Amino acid sequence: MGERRPETPAEADGTAGLFVALGKMVKLLRERKGLTQKEFGELVGYGPDAVSSMERGVRTLRPEVLIKADELLDAGGLLKEVLPEVEEAMAKTRTRHPEWYRNYAGLEAEAVSLYDYSTMGVLGLLQTEDYARAVFTQRHPPLDEETIEKRVADRLSRQQLFEKWPPPECSFVLEQAVLERPIGGPAVHAGQLRRLLHIGRMRNVQLQVMPTGRDEHPCLDNSFTLLTPKGKEQVVYMESQGYPRLITGREEVRILAARYGIIRAQALNPHESLDFIEKMLEER
């Protein structure tokens, strides 16, 4: 997401330091147990990239992971002991987002449905850690290293949306050009394509590709996200050059929802889209 004005400092609350310290503890216990990140991830239900992010404090170590880790790594209750502090820290995470983005972040966290159309880059919710870091590193004017790492951590923390139960209904339509743009270089690009395949195979997700060759298109304009928070009406979020807009007017939302329906109809279907991405990986 873009930045328009500085965020309210939140690092003073100690949440970042807490998760860095916990990550180091989990890494030490895992290595003592003789488990690789991949092996440990399979036991707790995460991939090796997610485990790496947790161990470096970039991604939140959720209570359920700490409970499993305590038993699997023979921590003797050490990790379970900090659960109250972890839950308190998680309640504060929304303050880590920029002030102007905070209202949307709160709505996104409680979404029961989320539909997104992406035109320039991969949506933050779908990004790998390396892709997100490349995006923030390439930004102009440049960001300092501390800000880059914080932005990466904030972006990855939003991906806990996929870990909710029941999961939200999600639909993502990406322009073909988004998939072809090798942000971060070949290795990062390949990792991002694999991440999209992983998410696209989730039961609650439909991921589609809009081919560049289509001779009709209902929205040669901005990216946008249609979001329905639990118990609330659907809203639309969009940005242009870092300037955000949250649309709540029923008529505007209705128009964009109808436009999104046409976009989905003109895109490749989910099965064709996954085949398209797999072919891209094979041809690299």
Side-chain angles (χ1 to χ4, degrees):
M1 296 294 177
E3 295 178 90
R4 184 160 57 88
R5 47 182 115 108
E7 70 173 309
T8 304
E11 295 306 300
D13 63 20
T15 57
L18 170 64
F19 289 113
V20 168
L22 280 174
K24 290 180 177 179
M25 291 169 59
V26 169
K27 181 180 179 181
L28 179 62
L29 291 167
R30 173 183 60 76
E31 290 177 342
R32 284 183 177 178
K33 195 72 174 177
L35 296 172
T36 65
Q37 289 179 336
K38 181 179 180 181
E39 291 168 339
F40 177 65
E42 289 173 349
L43 293 172
V44 296
Y46 286 86
D49 290 342
V51 172
S52 175
S53 298
M54 292 176 192
E55 291 184 346
R56 286 180 291 116
V58 175
R59 181 169 180 158
T60 302
L61 269 161
R62 296 179 64 81
E64 59 268 25
V65 176
L66 288 171
I67 292 171
K68 290 181 181 178
D70 193 279
E71 298 169 355
L72 291 167
L73 304 179
D74 297 328
L78 180 65
L79 298 178
K80 291 181 181 179
E81 187 67 22
V82 297
L83 288 178
E85 287 76 15
V86 169
E87 290 170 350
E88 180 181 354
M90 288 178 63
K92 295 178 181 178
T93 55
R94 72 180 60 186
T95 64
R96 298 173 65 187
H97 296 291
E99 188 74 39
W100 55 263
Y101 179 68
R102 208 164 289 160
N103 287 342
Y104 174 78
L107 295 174
E108 183 185 79
E110 59 183 60
V112 294
S113 71
L114 187 149
Y115 307 151
D116 181 83
Y117 168 55
S118 296
T119 61
M120 299 300 294
V122 175
L123 179 69
L125 276 175
L126 308 179
Q127 291 178 7
T128 64
E129 180 181 341
D130 289 338
Y131 186 102
R133 183 170 289 106
V135 168
F136 289 121
T137 300
Q138 295 169 10
R139 175 165 293 173
H140 287 275
L143 301 173
D144 61 70
E145 292 301 319
E146 181 179 357
T147 300
I148 289 171
E149 291 307 309
K150 188 173 185 304
R151 290 287 174 265
V152 171
D154 293 345
R155 181 154 292 184
L156 295 181
S157 73
R158 291 170 49 212
Q159 296 178 4
Q160 294 171 17
L161 179 77
F162 294 111
E163 299 161 16
K164 290 172 50 179
W165 190 264
E169 177 190 0
C170 295
S171 167
F172 304 104
V173 180
L174 297 85
E175 287 287 341
Q176 180 179 336
V178 171
L179 301 176
E180 294 172 340
R181 186 168 290 121
I183 298 296
V188 174
H189 185 215
Q192 183 60 66
L193 293 178
R194 286 192 290 270
R195 170 69 174 167
L196 292 174
L197 287 174
H198 171 73
I199 292 177
R201 294 182 179 120
M202 292 179 176
R203 288 184 296 163
N204 62 307
V205 173
Q206 290 190 317
L207 189 147
Q208 296 175 253
V209 176
M210 175 66 85
T212 303
R214 291 285 192 257
D215 59 7
E216 293 185 12
H217 201 300
C219 185
L220 295 176
D221 204 339
N222 236 9
S223 302
F224 62 90
T225 303
L226 287 155
L227 181 72
T228 306
K230 186 175 182 179
K232 300 176 183 177
E233 293 192 6
Q234 190 174 54
V235 298
V236 177
Y237 178 81
M238 62 175 65
E239 283 183 27
S240 178
Q241 297 298 319
Y243 287 83
R245 187 183 178 200
L246 185 65
I247 301 171
T248 58
R250 289 184 177 179
E251 183 60 15
E252 285 185 276
V253 172
R254 183 195 67 77
I255 290 172
L256 286 166
R259 190 173 296 168
Y260 187 78
I262 299 172
I263 291 171
R264 290 183 71 176
Q266 292 184 349
L268 299 177
N269 70 41
H271 293 295
E272 293 169 337
S273 298
L274 294 180
D275 288 344
F276 183 91
I277 297 173
E278 286 180 336
K279 186 176 181 181
M280 286 187 67
L281 272 170
E282 292 170 359
E283 293 177 348
R284 289 178 51 79

